[in-house]
Every structure is written in structure tokens, then in C-alpha cells.
Amino acid sequence: MFKKILIANRGEIALRIIRTCKELGIPTVAVYSEVDRDSLHVVFADEAVCIGPAPSNQSYLKIPNILSAAQITGADAIHPGYGFLAENAEFSEICADSNIKFIGPSADSIRKMGDKAFAKETMKKVGVPVVPGSEGVVNDVEEGKKIAKHIGYPVMLKASAGGGGKGMRIVWKEDELEKAFQTASNEANAAFANPALYMEKFVENPRHVEIQIIGDQFGNVYQYGERDCSIQRRHQKLIEESPSPFITSEIREKMGEAALLGARSVNYEGAGTIEFLVDRHRRFYFIEMNTRIQVEHPVTEMVRNIDLVKNQILVAAGERIEDPPKDPRGHAIEFRINAEDPQNNFRPSPGQIEYLHFPGGFGVRIDSHVYNEYVIPPNYDSLIAKMIIWGTDRPHAIRRARRALEEFKIEGIKTTIPFHQKVLESEKFIEGDFDTSFIDQHINLNS
Ligand code: MV4
């Protein structure tokens, strides 16, 4: 097992990782920027090293500073969390070259899955269903027109180096394609230094359902069922749950098998997520793979009764992990509490928390790094707490969530709590009848 783990992250996920390290008896090193000096991950780690000023590119993204912190403290492994360097192939490679175990996949896996057109072709080859579209990248407008004619409009152009909704364009008819191709390609080049695009048939109002997997160093891959992440706004997830109210046990089994097929084919090591779009006929299509632990991982932990971060650490150390339970137990829903104003376009609302009270009781889990009088810096993402509710079934989880949100008090800043309360009153949400257009279509925050 590792002698000491450095956590190359901040906020709730850094604390989440430290908690599991403590339970495993592994000493931890926190790194922090100048504005995070009073953050809880710094308090609860065994050691802490300041790695630079507030801007991420001078601290949490600065590879030499993080490696120096690991070397000075004698850490033999680095957990990257999510965001920052978690899907940075170069960082994974540099760690390997420095004899520090990157708790995550190899640089090669990160690169392959980061190239979305390549990842899709890889999955298609082994029989994972994918959205009909181009074979790999589309080289020019003329080729794009041919493919679109074949699969039928509307189509989507996506940046091959993108993902998570960045650099996408819907094209409704042929005479829009040229312009869309140029602007999407230019945007992709500006954002990812790579103009390559691929094309897919546009799936209208899909659900977003993903499968959690973990691969070990012996070639075994395990799957932990699905999470439904359809409640999003501008590609920011706000509510995630498991099991998905739309997925039957038959589809669950098929998606799980498809995810295993895909992950095994690339010899995947570490935790990962296979993302699918699900159309109204419950047909599912692979869209991309995330090569990190995700924000919403606790939803899976609650219904499968496992610690995913523990399993990440075990496989990284070359150990074996237990077989996952075959079926979900009960129902879990995660609510992201962001320091944002839902009445003003979810505008960030940093500043000091003047009063804080977390809910509690049976089935209520809070993952958070904030405390009373904590000052939320404006430099990072606005997630300040995750409330994960477990219930015996979905209606029970919903009732419990309403009860817990009523107890939840945060003063001094705006949060997404009132948004969640609205969603929990929505008939469509209660019935489980929602897709990725739910917030735009059914939630009015100013009424
Ligand atoms: C799509 C799509 C419709 N058709 N692909 C957005 C994020 C990225 N991971 C993939 N996304 C989409 N890809 C095809 N062929 C619609 C979306 C999409 C979406 C997907 C999941 C969750 C929310 C979404 C919101 C808008 C669009």
C-alpha cells in the first residue's frame, strides 16, 4: 500500500479523498493556494503545502509545484480528484516518470478517451452501440454534407478534443452546414488547439445516463450500475440519481455489459464513467468516457454500499477489489448546492457564509468543505456542498430530500437550495418523466 498520498485538489473532493485515506490508515498531504489556507482539506490532512497564488494556473494546475510538494513530503501517490489535472495525460505521464503513482488511468488511456472521435470508433469496433454518424473525424464541409445526407438531418458537429458539451453545433439543414462547420472548427481550435470535428445524428431530448466502472491491474473491470444525470443546465449537472427512473432492469444489464465491453477493450485501469444518451425508445448510445472520479460518484456509493475512492486507491496500489453488489439497494439522489443565484441566471455568488446549518438524520449525507463564516473565493467552481439522500425507494428519497432541504440553512450568499425545492415540487420530476430539456421546459425560478 502507499506510504503517503498527496491530494492534488481542493474543496469537497479533497476532503472526500482525505476521509477515505484516513480510514485506510494512509497519511495525506494537502496542497493549497494562498486563498485556500483556511480550507478544511488543509485542516484535516496530515501535512499541507502551499503551491501558489489563487489563480488555478499558478497553483492547482501547476505541475512542477505539485510534484515538488510530493517530493518534499515523500508522497508516493497522487490523487487528482476531478477537474484540474485529473484528465491531463501529461501529468499522469510525468507522475509515472517521477516514480509517483497517479491514482487514475495511464497517460495512454487518458489520451485515447480524450480524443472523442477515436474513443467512439474504439467502442463501435467492439460492439458498443454508438450514435450513427461519421467514422472518426469529418475532414471537410463536402464530406460532412455527404454523411449528413446519409444519416439525415438534424445532425450535430462535435469537437473531437472537446467533451462535456463544449464545441457542439446542431445543424438542421444542408445550407446551414458550411457555416456551422467553419465556426465549430474555429471554436474547437481556439478552445482545444485542435480543429477536428466529428458528426452525429442529433438525438432529440435525450436522457443522460452513465455507468460507473473500475478496472484493476489484472485486467478485471467491474461495473456499478447507472446514474441518471439528465437534470442539467448549460451542461452543468444539478441533480443526479440512481437507479434511473427511466431504465428497466433489462436495459440496466445491457448498458452495464456494454460499459464493461468498452472498458475491457482499452485495458482500462482506475475509475471511469461511460456516458450514454438514451432516446425516448430507451435505445442507448455511447457518447464519451470520463477517465476520473466524478462529482456525482456518491450516488452510486449509496445504492451499492461501496467506497469508490477506496477502490480507486486499492486498484492503483495493485490490489484486488471485491465484486460489486449485483443490484442497487434503495434509491439515492444528489443535489448540488452551488454558491449561485438561481434567480439571476445562476450567477456565481461568492463571499462569506454568515450562518450555516447542515441537515442531518437517517439517509442524509453531506459532502462539503465549508463551515460557518467560511469565505467562498471567486476563483474556483461554485460547488460548496453535495447533499446525497438515500431512501428505500424513489418516493421516499424525494420526501426525505424535501425534509432535509427545509433544515438546510445558508445565509450571506445565494445558493441553489431554492432551485432544488422547486424541482421537488414538479409533477414531471416526481413522476420521473424528465429528460435533458427539463429545467428549460419546467422550472421557472422567477415565479
Ligand atoms: C448529443 C445530443 C444530441 N444528439 N449528441 C451534451 C454534452 C455532451 N456530453 C453530449 N451532449 C449532447 N450530445 C447527439 N448526437 C445532446 C447533448 C446534450 C446533452 C447531453 C447530456 C446531457 C445534457 C445535454 C444537454 C444538451 C445537449
Side-chain angles (χ1 to χ4, degrees):
M1 189 34 74
F2 302 119
K3 288 200 298 285
K4 198 184 269 189
I5 296 178
L6 181 142
I7 297 99
N9 216 301
R10 66 178 300 282
E12 69 84 21
I13 192 64
L15 191 54
R16 162 76 191 84
I17 296 161
I18 290 168
R19 284 174 170 152
T20 286
C21 290
K22 285 197 175 183
E23 291 174 13
L24 291 171
I26 305 169
T28 52
V29 182
V31 293
Y32 62 96
S33 73
E34 284 166 11
V35 283
D36 278 342
R37 207 170 285 277
D38 298 320
S39 200
L40 281 192
H41 75 288
V42 176
V43 176
F44 288 123
D46 297 293
E47 292 170 78
V49 181
C50 182
I51 49 163
S56 307
N57 58 4
Q58 295 174 55
S59 51
Y60 298 105
L61 287 172
K62 199 153 176 183
I63 295 173
N65 296 20
I66 289 167
L67 281 177
S68 301
Q71 269 142 9
I72 290 164
T73 54
D76 55 352
I78 296 183
H79 196 308
Y82 53 68
F84 297 127
L85 297 169
E87 292 175 276
N88 186 311
E90 201 192 354
F91 184 58
S92 173
E93 194 157 72
I94 294 171
C95 286
D97 293 343
S98 317
N99 249 324
I100 293 172
K101 179 64 189 178
F102 176 80
I103 301 176
S106 65
D108 184 57
S109 282
I110 297 176
R111 271 192 201 107
K112 283 182 172 147
M113 292 301 125
D115 179 337
K116 303 301 171 186
F118 179 87
K120 191 179 164 188
E121 284 310 299
T122 306
M123 296 298 159
K124 191 172 149 190
K125 269 195 198 119
V126 296
V128 178
V130 299
V131 190
S134 59
E135 268 177 43
V137 304
V138 181
N139 293 298
D140 53 56
V141 178
E142 283 319 304
E143 191 187 330
K145 283 184 181 172
K146 261 194 212 144
I147 298 162
K149 194 165 259 158
H150 181 68
I151 60 179
Y153 288 89
V155 298
M156 240 181 164
L157 288 167
K158 297 183 174 186
S160 194
K166 275 177 270 172
M168 299 189 330
R169 274 276 182 304
I170 306 175
V171 186
W172 295 94
K173 47 189 199 296
E174 188 175 277
D175 56 9
E176 293 171 358
L177 196 130
E178 180 157 7
K179 202 171 143 220
F181 190 94
Q182 307 303 355
T183 52
S185 185
N186 288 340
E187 269 178 34
N189 198 31
F192 316 110
N194 179 355
L197 303 176
Y198 64 109
M199 184 184 281
E200 283 180 351
K201 175 93 185 155
F202 178 60
V203 181
E204 272 174 77
N205 298 341
R207 284 164 175 86
H208 171 136
V209 181
E210 56 188 31
I211 302 283
Q212 175 72 56
I213 60 114
I214 295 188
D216 70 13
Q217 293 182 10
F218 308 98
N220 306 302
V221 183
Y222 303 92
Q223 63 97 358
Y224 299 83
E226 85 283 10
R227 295 184 289 258
D228 191 315
C229 306
S230 301
I231 310 289
Q232 321 200 347
R233 187 185 164 273
R234 302 196 180 162
H235 307 300
Q236 289 291 106
K237 295 170 186 166
L238 284 154
I239 299 175
E240 304 96 343
E241 63 182 291
S242 186
S244 166
F246 191 62
I247 297 298
T248 60
S249 54
E250 189 191 334
I251 305 284
R252 173 170 307 113
E253 194 123 330
K254 288 194 171 140
M255 287 180 89
E257 283 302 317
L260 289 179
L261 205 59
R264 283 188 193 123
S265 76
V266 293
N267 235 312
Y268 193 78
E269 181 199 323
T273 304
I274 315 268
E275 268 183 50
F276 295 95
L277 293 182
V278 184
D279 73 13
R280 69 174 108 251
H281 309 292
R282 293 193 175 80
R283 288 181 295 219
F284 63 88
Y285 309 95
F286 168 86
I287 48 167
E288 39 190 89
M289 177 169 188
N290 299 313
T291 56
R292 59 168 190 275
I293 191 81
Q294 289 191 271
V295 177
E296 59 272 26
H297 77 276
V299 157
T300 301
E301 296 187 322
M302 301 304 281
V303 293
R304 303 273 162 168
N305 193 30
I306 41 116
D307 180 338
L308 287 167
V309 173
K310 175 181 163 189
N311 282 359
Q312 267 193 303
I313 294 169
L314 291 179
V315 299
E319 297 196 11
R320 293 181 187 273
I321 53 174
E322 283 175 31
D323 287 340
K326 236 192 129 8
D327 292 302
R329 185 180 140 266
H331 197 95
I333 314 179
E334 174 178 277
F335 299 85
R336 295 195 192 191
I337 314 300
N338 298 336
E340 291 173 357
D341 182 359
Q343 292 202 309
N344 277 294
N345 238 341
F346 290 78
R347 178 170 70 200
S349 178
Q352 187 167 37
I353 295 175
E354 288 164 6
Y355 179 80
L356 179 71
H357 178 76
F358 284 149
F362 198 165
V364 180
R365 168 176 171 182
I366 304 287
D367 279 18
S368 173
H369 60 295
V370 309
Y371 50 86
N372 198 28
E373 299 190 351
Y374 175 81
V375 179
I376 299 150
N379 312 80
Y380 312 106
D381 77 26
S382 56
L383 182 72
I384 54 169
K386 302 189 303 205
M387 182 178 85
I388 307 101
I389 298 293
W390 183 88
T392 51
D393 54 20
R394 192 168 186 273
H396 183 215
I398 288 173
R399 290 194 304 275
R400 184 170 271 166
R402 289 198 196 107
R403 181 276 284 174
L405 284 175
E406 231 171 87
E407 291 175 25
F408 213 138
K409 302 283 182 246
I410 305 183
E411 284 169 23
I413 55 156
K414 300 277 191 213
T415 76
T416 47
I417 291 172
F419 162 82
H420 293 309
Q421 288 175 315
K422 282 234 154 115
V423 172
L424 288 170
E425 297 307 321
S426 152
E427 214 40 59
K428 291 279 180 197
F429 181 80
I430 294 164
E431 288 167 10
D433 178 16
F434 55 80
D435 57 48
T436 49
S437 68
F438 171 79
I439 297 176
D440 287 343
Q441 287 189 10
H442 299 288
I443 301 296
N444 181 351
L445 290 147
N446 298 302
S447 69

